Amino acid sequence: MNQNFSTHFLEEIREKLSNINSDSFDIVSFNQVVDGNQSINQKDIAKYLYSDLVILHSKTMLSQFLTVCHDHGWVILPIGNGTKIHWGKLPSHYDIMISTRKINSIIDHAVEDLTVTVESGMKIKDLQDFLALKGQFLPIDPFFPESATIGGIVATANTGSWRQRYGGVRDLILGISFLRGDGKEAKAGGRVVKNVAGYDLMKLFTGSYGNLGIITDVTFRTFPLPENSLTLVITGNQESIYQLQKTVSSSSLTPTAADLLSSSLVKDFPLGEGLGLIFRFQGITESVNQQTSQIQTWSKELNLSILTYHNQSETTLWQNLPQKTYLTNFDNPITCKVGILPSEAVNLMSVFDGYGVINISSGIGNLSLKKGIKIHQINNLRQFCENRGGFLTILDAPISIKTQIEPWGYVGNSLQMMKNIKQKFDPKNIFCDRL
């Protein structure tokens, strides 16, 4: 912590800024915010985090607060609701946390243009509820959907199975605004689908973990709510599952979700035996029925087991799957984000013991490793992915693990490149270094 920083300065700053702007801010203990965060409380991470949390009430006040911090050289750790603050490299050497959780309004919704602009503190659940009233939705399905904020989702690039049809978080962003370390605002993109204005900072800030600036508002492309939805879970032996994966991937079928499931996850859910494939089809009823019928035909030819989910059973399945994958029954699991050649995903599932969900088209997914796994085994898994055109990033793990192994899994000159980018955006290192 900066020796020039003292928590009593916060009250002095509040008094000073209140004379400039009628909006205020709250000063609370970080523990007050994460009391309901099971992912943090069950681990030793909460003891590692420190400092007061400043919750700003407006973008204007946030800008002014950043200016004061910049002038004093205070280091900031930006968060939304803190659901993923413990992912990757643990934050350290910061003076104060700043939350955008109360900067959470809808700025604009162009219903006919299928775009929406929101402030970064809005929770994804609240945004989805708002869009549903207009017959639309945002195809982002992150962990902690009840409390994750838009800014945190973008900063961690966190989405799930909808990646199959709609791409990742960065593929849905049309425009972004953020505050630099000196409190000044910068923007990129716009509020229309066909926009080529400026640098593509949307992709740069997606997955930046707060290293470059504080995201204040984001414009997304939205989609109409589907008329119908149906999910198939296919289980069986590794070779047959791989054959079905190849067949579907090379076909003209358009599932909105298509994931490979590890055998442990299939067994414990329970969904059956062996490896699994889960397909979700959404759209007009005729198309959904035709495509699911084709999957069922191919599965029967390969002697695979089939489970069908519709209506409430389907909703429950998709609510429980990410929870089962992340908040597992394992004691202190290690959760990783992985990428691998899609053709090698089946082989990856066969070399680790735990829960895994991997998209069959991009090869991106998540693994939860059981307690007791050794450091060399994690390194071997990472090497397995890297040798097959991929990566392994440790999101969530006990401190004892993260102090022994570099969580991000840098390769080549990627670390130096990212440090150079951070230096350009944040030359005074106002934002906590998570690299």
Side-chain angles (χ1 to χ4, degrees):
M1 182 177 288
N2 193 324
Q3 293 182 352
N4 295 322
F5 180 85
S6 176
T7 54
H8 79 269
F9 289 159
L10 291 174
E11 290 298 340
E12 296 180 16
I13 295 171
R14 184 205 294 273
E15 182 176 355
K16 177 181 178 181
L17 294 183
S18 66
N19 296 326
I20 303 173
N21 193 300
S22 59
D23 294 321
S24 186
F25 56 86
D26 302 319
I27 303 173
V28 301
S29 167
F30 176 67
N31 292 333
Q32 291 179 249
V33 177
V34 299
D35 280 347
N37 191 334
Q38 183 180 359
S39 63
I40 292 180
N41 285 340
Q42 288 185 344
K43 307 181 188 342
D44 51 2
I45 302 298
K47 301 175 184 177
Y48 183 86
L49 299 167
Y50 59 87
S51 92
D52 294 308
L53 174 67
V54 177
I55 304 174
L56 287 308
H57 293 188
S58 71
K59 184 163 67 174
T60 300
M61 179 58 77
L62 174 58
S63 174
Q64 293 169 350
F65 192 92
L66 280 175
T67 300
V68 173
C69 292
H70 181 269
D71 292 342
H72 288 80
W74 296 334
V75 180
I76 296 164
L77 174 62
I79 68 170
N81 271 332
T83 57
K84 296 175 283 294
I85 191 175
H86 53 303
W87 281 14
K89 179 183 176 181
L90 292 175
S92 61
H93 304 101
Y94 62 90
D95 295 311
I96 191 167
M97 283 187 265
I98 290 181
S99 171
T100 60
R101 63 190 308 188
K102 288 192 175 181
I103 307 175
N104 56 10
S105 300
I106 301 284
I107 297 173
D108 178 67
H109 183 209
V111 179
E112 294 184 357
D113 292 334
L114 294 172
T115 67
V116 65
T117 303
V118 299
E119 291 183 323
S120 60
M122 171 162 274
K123 292 187 287 189
I124 184 72
K125 178 185 183 300
D126 294 340
L127 176 56
Q128 298 288 27
D129 290 345
F130 170 83
L131 292 173
L133 296 175
K134 307 293 184 180
Q136 297 178 6
F137 77 111
L138 177 64
I140 293 177
D141 46 347
F143 288 129
F144 319 114
E146 296 293 321
S147 52
T149 64
I150 292 298
I153 291 167
V154 174
T156 57
N158 181 222
T159 190
S161 297
W162 268 329
R163 178 187 298 276
Q164 171 68 25
R165 171 64 177 83
Y166 304 100
V169 174
R170 70 179 194 172
D171 300 304
L172 297 166
I173 300 177
L174 302 175
I176 194 169
S177 296
F178 64 94
L179 293 178
R180 307 184 322 194
D182 58 5
K184 295 181 180 179
E185 185 178 28
K187 299 181 179 182
R191 296 186 184 180
V192 295
V193 174
K194 293 184 178 179
N195 190 305
V196 293
Y199 296 105
D200 194 356
L201 297 182
M202 291 79 76
K203 289 184 173 60
L204 189 61
F205 269 75
T206 303
S208 61
Y209 278 79
N211 276 295
L212 307 179
I214 297 181
I215 299 168
T216 55
D217 52 76
V218 187
T219 299
F220 292 103
R221 180 182 180 184
T222 62
F223 292 81
L225 285 170
E227 173 187 305
N228 196 9
S229 180
L230 191 145
T231 294
L232 297 176
V233 176
I234 315 299
T235 57
N237 66 76
Q238 178 174 328
E239 180 58 33
S240 296
I241 287 292
Y242 178 54
Q243 290 300 322
L244 181 59
Q245 175 188 335
K246 288 198 302 180
T247 300
V248 174
S249 297
S250 61
S251 72
S252 59
L253 300 186
T254 56
T256 54
D259 295 323
L260 180 68
L261 310 178
S262 69
S263 55
S264 293
L265 181 59
V266 168
K267 180 179 179 180
D268 293 349
F269 203 90
L271 298 170
E273 296 289 337
L275 289 178
L277 283 168
I278 184 168
F279 299 102
R280 190 177 197 179
F281 293 92
Q282 296 174 290
I284 61 174
T285 301
E286 292 81 359
S287 174
V288 170
N289 291 339
Q290 182 180 15
Q291 295 191 79
T292 54
S293 177
Q294 182 62 77
I295 293 284
Q296 290 171 327
T297 298
W298 288 333
S299 300
K300 291 175 181 176
E301 291 173 354
L302 292 167
N303 294 316
L304 294 168
S305 300
I306 306 169
L307 292 176
T308 303
Y309 295 83
H310 193 40
N311 297 326
Q312 187 55 48
S313 67
E314 182 188 35
T315 300
T316 302
L317 173 68
W318 286 105
Q319 288 175 342
N320 291 341
L321 184 59
Q323 291 293 322
K324 187 75 172 179
T325 306
Y326 188 82
L327 299 175
T328 71
N329 294 327
F330 307 152
D331 182 19
N332 285 325
I334 299 169
T335 305
C336 306
K337 181 176 181 178
V338 298
I340 195 168
L341 288 173
S343 59
E344 294 286 346
V346 166
N347 294 326
L348 174 60
M349 290 298 196
S350 68
V351 297
F352 89 102
D353 183 20
Y355 293 167
V357 179
I358 298 178
N359 176 256
I360 68 170
S361 294
S362 66
I364 294 175
N366 295 99
L367 307 180
S368 286
L369 313 178
K370 293 183 179 181
K371 179 183 178 181
I373 189 170
K374 306 300 182 183
I375 295 296
H376 76 272
Q377 293 175 301
I378 300 174
N379 283 325
N380 288 342
L381 270 179
R382 174 173 282 171
Q383 193 64 55
F384 185 94
C385 293
E386 291 176 356
N387 290 343
R388 290 156 180 81
F391 64 89
L392 184 148
T393 294
I394 299 174
L395 299 179
D396 189 3
I399 293 176
S400 59
I401 295 294
K402 289 194 175 183
T403 54
Q404 296 183 68
I405 184 171
E406 194 282 307
W408 298 120
Y410 294 115
V411 294
N413 66 344
S414 57
L415 176 58
Q416 187 58 50
M417 181 182 298
M418 285 185 276
K419 284 184 175 181
N420 291 341
I421 293 172
K422 178 171 174 58
Q423 178 61 28
K424 294 293 184 182
F425 276 81
D426 183 27
K428 289 190 66 175
N429 290 314
I430 296 300
F431 299 112
C432 180
D433 188 350
R434 303 289 299 276
L435 298 176

